[in-house]
Amino acid sequence: MDSETDMVRQIRALDSDMQTLVYENYNKFISATDTIRKMKNDFRKMEDEMDRLATNMAVITDFSARISATLQDRHERITKLAGVHALLRKLQFLFELPSRLTKCVELGAYGQAMRYQGRAQAVLQQYQHLPSFRAIQDDCQVITARLAQQLRQRFREGGSGAPEQAECVELLLALGEPAEELCEEFLAHARGRLEEELTSLEAELGPSPPAPDVLEFTDHGGSGFVGGLCQVAAAYQELFAAQGPAGAERLAAFARELGSRYFALVETATISYILTLTDEQFLVQDQFPVTPVSTLCAEARETARRLLTHYVKVQGLVISQMLRKSVETRDWLSTLEPRNVRAVMKRVVEDTTAIDVQVGLLYEEGVRKAQSSDSSKRTFSVYSSSRQQGRYAPSYTPSAPMDTNLLSNIQKLFSERIDVFSPVEFNKVSVLTGIIKISLKTLLECVRLRTFGRFGLQQVQVDCHFLQLYLWRFVADEELVHLLLDEVVASAALRCPDPVPMEPSVVEVICERG
Amino acid sequence: MEDDAPVIYGLEFQIHIIDFDDENNIINKNVLLHQAGEIWHISASPADRGVLATCYNRTSDSKVLTCAAVWRMPKELESGSHESPDDSSSTAQTLELLCHLDNTAHSNMACVVWEPMGDGKKIISLADNHILLWDLQESSSQAVLASSASLGGKGQLKFTSGRWSPHHNCTQVATANDTTLRGWDTRSMSQIYCIENAHGQLVRDLDFNPNKQYYLASCGDDCKVKFWDTRNVTEPVKTLEEHSHWVWNVRYNHSHDQLVLTGSSDSRVILSNMVSISSEPFGHLVDDDDISDQEDHRSEEKSKEPLQDNVIATYEEHEDSVYAVDWSSADPWLFASLSYDGRLVINRVPRALKYHILL
């Protein structure tokens, strides 16, 4: 009985579920039927359209076949005619070429003339054997020669400004004139123009007071001379690019010569300005003997040199003190195995980079000796090959130091003696070289005064390798840095009772990590 | 000392005695072993030529200690024997230890100076910031500390070098610490004068003018050599800036104080003629009586202007830093210089100048 009631109940539940399903989804069922009906209609319509499309295509193919058939023979004739027309046009151009060229030459439209000439050249070359063409070509050549002559004359007069000159030169080059001569003439003309500017500037500075306002003078100089020089240089480079290094050298020499004269004038102007200023400020009487401007210029230069040398010394001193303290205060006998480069070395490199940037703002780069491509990798080749392994023999028999000393002495004979305070020139590389030389020499002397344990020596090795990796790019001659640092490590080795150098590969790893 | 001039210099744990025979330009070498440690300073007794004092490094359980001791050389090597070179390569001999300058109380001895005109009984050593005056008793076999003085002040003051003045009855000593020069009276061990900031950087060496009482010269890491009058220490009398790196040594010639020798780590030795501050600024004035009849009577008058100071010569024979220079005590025109690579160079004053000074 119970199971029966249960089943009845279940049946009733199922029924009611079914009904709810139907009620809920009633709408969906209806829309589904609608969609299906619409799809049926659409497909029927599409079928009709497709049939019509097929019939139309058939008709079109039919027509097209008929048209091509009718026009077939005409087609060939038309192409032939079109070709002949084009040819005739070209021939007309060629026949008209001499007269057109003449007109261009008269009008002075040389560029256009050259363009026409260029276009026709190839064809004329090819059909030289035909008399009519030959005649045309001869005519053209005559006219071109005349054109060239006119161009040359115009160029030689040089009265026109730089852009026209440049154009002349360009055309002349295209005409196949020898580039060398053109170079020379071009530079000569440019020089003439620029010298005029210079003389006018000089005249302004002349002995008659009042000296010109310095701002005006520089303005005049800047726009006139410097602008002209830049224009000339740009044009030259464009035109004579194909000349290669010889041409570039010539331009450089030219620019340098004129530039130095200009700068001398600027110097004199500045000094004169200062003089007039002092005169105004201090009410100087005319009776006192006045120092001529040239001696003041020389003095100013001398002072600049001394100032620069002093700067180098002071900066060198700053870095030297850092290095000295670092060597003097560390306990080198009981130091542990080196794991990384000492912080002071990184500081030294940072400071040197900062100085480099600072000086680079004021001075140009300067000349550096050409480096080999793997210069920074040339780490221990000098160190291990030039010093024999016998150097690290623990026994201090009287002969052993002699041998290694002899070797290092011979090496020193063949390398130039390093002059620590040699005169500094006005370029960045020279200044940096001076500073680095002072610092490394200090390091060397300080190292020679201490005694090192084995790990102390290795720490020095690591530090020197690190410095070598980073300092070589600041100096004029990277051999210098190698030499000094080699000497530092060698001196440390001599000061060590138990010298066991670190493996070069390990040193490199430590430095790279740092 | 006789004609040949033995020179002593310390090389690690050895002392080399070089005999220079200047008549024949021959050099002989004898080697003495100094096993106590690495020598950093050496000075010879002015009274007994076989006695010398050294400051040396002793390494003990990874600490380096600088001590000082007095030694005696073997008898045969004292007087510069003329052995042929073959004999000297035989067994090196050892020094006989006379006494230690005991420094348990103090740390590191920087240098030792003997009393110049004395009987070799008084010695001064500089240790860290102390000056110690020792009495050598019982033929130098015992050193007794007579008196001492210390430098007060902030920081770790350390003496770097010192010199005993030959004037004032040998009662004055000058020392250098960092950039300051100080003068001390050895009787009371008190400071007499003090020259602050004598050099921009560390002062390396100093020397007294043998003929002029109050004059001394100092040199330092600022590449300059400065001459001082100790009565007026505000400003140097003269400054020389001929070197391009640290100047390690400055030495007056023992008889002619216008000749000043300097050695520097730019590998150069420079001989300068400091006439204007020497004891004969107007040159050698000769009385007419002294001119012999054979010579021409020079009627030219020497001008009364002081002569000009100049650099006589620059010696560039060294390839590495020059750490010591000194004049010979036998021949006043001979001097020697020593560089890092172990090269000892003996030179003479140019003959023209020698005759100019003498005549």
Side-chain angles (χ1 to χ4, degrees), chain B residues 1-8 17-22 26-30 32 49-50 73-84 88:
Chain B
M1 288 201 162
E2 328 78 59
D3 285 335
D4 42 327
V7 173
I8 306 178
I17 302 181
I18 312 268
D19 281 339
F20 176 56
D21 180 357
D22 63 348
I26 300 177
I27 286 190
N28 293 325
K29 181 173 94 168
N30 286 304
L32 289 174
R49 77 166 72 98
M73 287 197 285
K75 279 280 183 298
E76 329 63 89
L77 297 173
E78 272 180 39
S79 52
S81 46
H82 297 269
E83 285 172 26
S84 61
S88 64

Side-chain angles (χ1 to χ4, degrees), chain A residues 241-446:
Chain A
Q243 277 303 294
E249 261 177 49
R250 218 175 295 160
L251 175 67
F254 171 77
R256 213 174 295 143
E257 195 191 319
L258 287 176
S260 53
R261 276 175 59 184
Y262 177 66
F263 287 128
L265 284 180
V266 171
E267 216 176 63
T268 327
T270 330
I271 301 278
S272 322
Y273 175 63
I274 296 177
L275 276 183
T276 40
L277 205 57
T278 20
D279 281 348
E280 283 168 27
Q281 299 286 335
F282 293 112
L283 299 174
V284 167
Q285 309 291 340
D286 274 320
Q287 295 135 358
F288 286 107
V290 178
T291 336
V293 174
S294 49
T295 29
L296 277 182
C297 276
E299 265 193 49
R301 223 171 289 138
E302 182 55 40
T303 318
R305 190 179 299 277
R306 280 219 301 267
L307 185 64
L308 194 65
T309 320
H310 187 71
Y311 173 76
V312 167
K313 275 199 194 162
V314 166
Q315 294 290 41
L317 182 63
V318 167
I319 298 186
S320 304
Q321 294 289 67
M322 265 199 294
L323 287 170
R324 187 195 276 221
K325 282 253 160 11
S326 79
V327 174
E328 280 176 5
T329 52
R330 194 187 174 92
D331 183 0
W332 290 102
L333 277 176
S334 54
T335 186
L336 301 165
E337 182 157 9
R339 285 267 158 255
N340 40 27
V341 179
R342 282 194 298 160
V344 67
M345 296 300 160
K346 296 189 197 160
R347 180 88 193 284
V348 164
V349 172
E350 273 171 27
D351 282 358
T352 318
T353 324
I355 295 174
D356 185 60
V357 166
Q358 206 181 44
V359 177
L361 290 176
L362 285 178
Y363 286 110
E364 57 171 27
E365 174 84 13
V367 173
R368 305 184 52 190
K369 220 157 102 164
Q371 310 116 15
S372 55
S373 56
D374 59 338
S375 48
S376 63
K377 302 216 178 34
R378 190 181 146 283
T379 51
F380 282 95
S381 50
V382 172
Y383 184 65
S384 52
S385 65
S386 65
R387 323 269 179 192
Q388 292 167 355
Q389 284 308 113
R391 185 177 206 112
Y392 300 121
S395 60
Y396 275 99
T397 57
S399 57
M402 263 342 204
D403 285 342
T404 49
N405 277 338
L406 194 60
L407 206 59
S408 75
N409 282 344
I410 289 176
Q411 197 188 35
K412 275 189 207 141
L413 275 178
F414 286 111
S415 52
E416 277 175 32
R417 187 215 300 268
I418 297 171
D419 214 2
V420 180
F421 282 175
S422 52
V424 172
E425 290 161 35
F426 288 101
N427 58 48
K428 180 173 74 143
V429 156
S430 177
V431 170
L432 263 292
T433 310
I435 294 176
I436 289 177
K437 272 197 285 196
I438 294 173
S439 322
L440 291 183
K441 187 91 170 120
T442 309
L443 180 63
L444 176 64
E445 296 295 336
C446 289

Side-chain angles (χ1 to χ4, degrees), chain A residues 99-353:
Chain A
S99 59
R100 214 179 278 195
L101 281 182
T102 335
K103 202 157 38 147
C104 281
V105 169
E106 272 169 37
L107 282 180
Y110 299 118
Q112 206 172 13
M114 290 304 301
R115 276 199 294 279
Y116 290 152
Q117 165 79 355
R119 270 161 60 180
Q121 192 63 18
V123 178
L124 286 175
Q125 259 333 89
Q126 203 178 2
Y127 291 109
Q128 252 182 4
H129 51 276
L130 294 174
S132 43
F133 283 112
R134 158 64 56 75
I136 296 178
Q137 196 186 26
D138 288 341
D139 280 341
C140 283
Q141 271 177 357
V142 165
I143 297 176
T144 323
R146 199 157 20 116
L147 164 69
Q149 205 180 18
Q150 278 202 8
L151 271 179
R152 235 177 280 134
Q153 191 166 8
R154 215 168 131 212
F155 179 54
R156 221 157 267 150
E157 275 162 25
S160 45
E164 289 98 355
Q165 288 264 315
E167 208 196 323
C168 285
V169 174
E170 206 179 319
L171 296 173
L172 280 172
L173 274 178
L175 279 174
E177 293 273 327
E180 293 260 325
E181 282 180 30
L182 289 178
C183 259
E184 301 276 349
E185 279 203 47
F186 182 71
L187 283 180
H189 286 311
R191 177 189 296 270
R193 273 203 307 279
L194 291 172
E195 284 199 356
E196 267 179 43
E197 286 278 342
L198 279 178
T199 21
S200 79
L201 285 176
E202 256 178 44
E204 268 189 47
L205 274 187
S208 60
D213 181 20
V214 117
L215 288 176
E216 255 180 49
F217 178 81
T218 9
D219 206 22
H220 185 172
S223 54
F225 177 79
V226 179
L229 186 59
C230 292
Q231 245 181 353
V232 166
Y236 183 93
Q237 283 198 332
E238 245 183 68
L239 296 173
F240 298 110
Q243 277 303 294
E249 261 177 49
R250 218 175 295 160
L251 175 67
F254 171 77
R256 213 174 295 143
E257 195 191 319
L258 287 176
S260 53
R261 276 175 59 184
Y262 177 66
F263 287 128
L265 284 180
V266 171
E267 216 176 63
T268 327
T270 330
I271 301 278
S272 322
Y273 175 63
I274 296 177
L275 276 183
T276 40
L277 205 57
T278 20
D279 281 348
E280 283 168 27
Q281 299 286 335
F282 293 112
L283 299 174
V284 167
Q285 309 291 340
D286 274 320
Q287 295 135 358
F288 286 107
V290 178
T291 336
V293 174
S294 49
T295 29
L296 277 182
C297 276
E299 265 193 49
R301 223 171 289 138
E302 182 55 40
T303 318
R305 190 179 299 277
R306 280 219 301 267
L307 185 64
L308 194 65
T309 320
H310 187 71
Y311 173 76
V312 167
K313 275 199 194 162
V314 166
Q315 294 290 41
L317 182 63
V318 167
I319 298 186
S320 304
Q321 294 289 67
M322 265 199 294
L323 287 170
R324 187 195 276 221
K325 282 253 160 11
S326 79
V327 174
E328 280 176 5
T329 52
R330 194 187 174 92
D331 183 0
W332 290 102
L333 277 176
S334 54
T335 186
L336 301 165
E337 182 157 9
R339 285 267 158 255
N340 40 27
V341 179
R342 282 194 298 160
V344 67
M345 296 300 160
K346 296 189 197 160
R347 180 88 193 284
V348 164
V349 172
E350 273 171 27
D351 282 358
T352 318
T353 324

